[in-house]
Amino acid sequence: MNVKSLAAIASVVVGLSGIFAPAWAKAPTIDQLVANPKMLTAELDRCERLGMAANNDARCHTAWSAENKQFFGHGDGNYSKVPVHLFGNTPKFDPEPHSQKSHPSKPSEPPNGQ
């Protein structure tokens, strides 16, 4: 082998290591991906290019979890169990307005008054 062929092989090895370096790099955490939307987009694009192999890729699972966290939030919402009345002056809805109802304090009387 001459010097030119060794240089060509070395450049191929360096080029290939540059292509596969992101796969060997330390995987970002969910919080790092949520904080950096460009990095999250890059990870999601990488997972899309992997196709079905992304189902077995830990970095893709991290990216998908970060996307869910970004979309659904952190879970510290302001949920209130007390019902909220948006329209306070509206009358209550009676689903059966014309039905005969007996008052709970009165004994029930026959319908014809006898």
Side-chain angles (χ1 to χ4, degrees):
M1 290 185 143
N2 60 17
V3 176
K4 288 185 179 182
S5 63
L6 286 175
I9 292 172
S11 65
V12 169
V13 169
V14 169
L16 289 176
S17 66
I19 292 172
F20 293 110
W24 297 332
K26 184 179 177 186
T29 64
I30 293 172
D31 292 329
Q32 288 172 337
L33 289 173
V34 169
N36 188 344
K38 288 183 181 181
M39 189 184 336
L40 177 58
T41 302
E43 283 293 312
L44 292 172
D45 289 343
R46 185 186 74 81
C47 296
E48 186 177 349
R49 286 190 305 273
L50 286 176
M52 291 299 290
N55 291 329
N56 299 324
D57 189 88
R59 287 176 56 186
C60 290
H61 285 277
T62 303
W64 295 330
S65 296
E67 185 180 35
N68 285 343
K69 188 172 184 179
Q70 186 179 41
F71 182 77
F72 291 112
H74 304 290
D76 52 349
N78 55 0
Y79 174 73
S80 173
K81 291 184 179 183
V82 179
V84 177
H85 299 289
L86 296 177
F87 307 104
N89 296 339
T90 56
K92 294 198 180 231
F93 174 70
D94 187 4
E96 299 176 6
H98 301 295
S99 67
Q100 295 181 353
K101 298 177 186 174
S102 62
H103 195 272
S105 63
K106 289 182 172 181
S108 70
E109 299 176 5
N112 60 0
Q114 294 179 1

